Amino acid sequence: MRPTPLHLVLLAGGRGLRAGGGDGEPKQFRRTARGPLYTVSLRTFLDERPDAPWHLASLTITAPEERHAPVAREVAAVLADRRRGRPALPFQLAAPGATRTASTWHALRELDTRLGPGPDDLVAVHDTARPFASHDLLDALARAALAAGGAVPGVPVPDTIVRSRADAGAEYLARAELVAVQTPQVFRWAGFFAAHAWAAAESLEFTDDGGLAAARGDAPAVVAGEAGNWKVTTDADWERAAARLAGD
């Protein structure tokens, strides 16, 4: 059986100003010992496995338009390191939207225009502020999405969670049934593209793509996430990530 094409979408269009030392540089573009933060997960995901049921077919990155030229140069260098006799990986940039949902939609439209993925291809969407997602996690998600149409990673919630209602007090939720959702998130192309087209037409916004798919009636499978796949949000997160990358 031929491996299924997987199209990687990296979201690097956010303002990202809560981390980064206050110099005005969004966190995803700040440099680490392994290059700009947005390229760290990219380098990980480029390490393809010969026994995987999928293969990396393209790369799309959302980034502010004024950064397209330097991002293109940086990514070209990363892809050149990866090539070593492999076919060139199609790469395109997309402008970010005003929201996360809009940014993903911009990337999907750019991908559709340039490459027109097949209906059963996979698309993986990842926040570049999560630099430590592993290739094993992406592989597990891709395998689950091949079976279920979509998959998201989730980690157990350590705290008691309640739904606060002004007119009825707190509703305690069953912690054993709750997970905190991460990225990457992987979906079959046709259903995912249709779900985003629907959300755009209805001007709907979601905090992640799994929530969008679920609202459309295609709830994704949940795969065990990784405790180490944390998000760089604050200055403390940035310092922690930079130190770890300096030690790798």
Side-chain angles (χ1 to χ4, degrees):
M1 182 179 297
R2 296 182 61 186
T4 300
L6 183 146
H7 304 273
L8 178 61
V9 172
L10 296 180
L11 302 179
R15 296 183 64 206
L17 299 181
R18 280 187 288 171
D23 62 358
E25 182 80 339
K27 62 195 174 189
Q28 64 270 31
F29 298 112
R30 289 183 61 83
R31 298 199 71 85
T32 74
R34 293 187 60 194
L37 188 69
Y38 77 90
T39 66
V40 175
S41 53
L42 170 60
R43 293 177 188 274
T44 298
F45 296 152
L46 288 175
D47 183 23
E48 295 182 67
R49 312 285 174 78
D51 59 341
W54 58 274
H55 72 91
L56 201 56
S58 74
L59 169 64
T60 305
I61 299 179
T62 65
E65 293 187 22
E66 67 271 17
R67 294 183 181 268
H68 279 197
V71 167
R73 290 193 296 270
E74 188 83 39
V75 171
V78 172
L79 295 181
D81 287 343
R82 171 247 187 202
R83 195 165 298 150
R84 298 174 186 173
R86 298 179 185 178
L89 185 70
F91 163 58
Q92 48 274 332
L93 286 157
T99 65
R100 188 192 187 286
T101 299
S103 289
T104 303
W105 177 231
H106 286 187
L108 296 182
R109 286 192 300 172
E110 187 72 20
L111 177 55
D112 185 53
T113 298
R114 290 181 177 268
L115 296 178
D120 290 326
D121 286 7
L122 295 175
V123 56
V125 182
H126 184 58
D127 294 332
T128 57
R130 293 185 184 270
F132 302 117
S134 74
H135 196 287
D136 286 342
L137 178 59
L138 178 60
D139 187 60
L141 290 161
R143 292 175 185 272
L146 285 170
V152 301
V155 293
V157 176
D159 301 315
T160 297
I161 305 296
V162 302
R163 180 182 290 114
S164 178
R165 293 177 172 173
D167 59 343
E171 176 189 357
Y172 279 73
L173 305 180
R175 187 169 64 181
E177 299 176 359
L178 301 176
V179 295
V181 176
Q182 306 173 325
T183 66
Q185 300 182 0
V186 183
F187 306 89
R188 290 278 194 181
W189 170 258
F192 190 54
F193 188 84
H196 263 278
W198 162 75
E202 299 293 330
S203 299
L204 300 175
E205 303 296 338
F206 298 85
T207 57
D208 78 326
D209 295 299
L212 187 157
R216 177 70 168 168
D218 295 315
V222 178
V223 169
E226 298 173 332
N229 182 24
W230 44 274
K231 187 175 182 180
V232 177
T233 302
T234 65
D235 280 345
D237 295 332
W238 166 258
E239 296 297 336
R240 179 184 173 198
R244 174 173 168 180
L245 291 168
D248 284 354

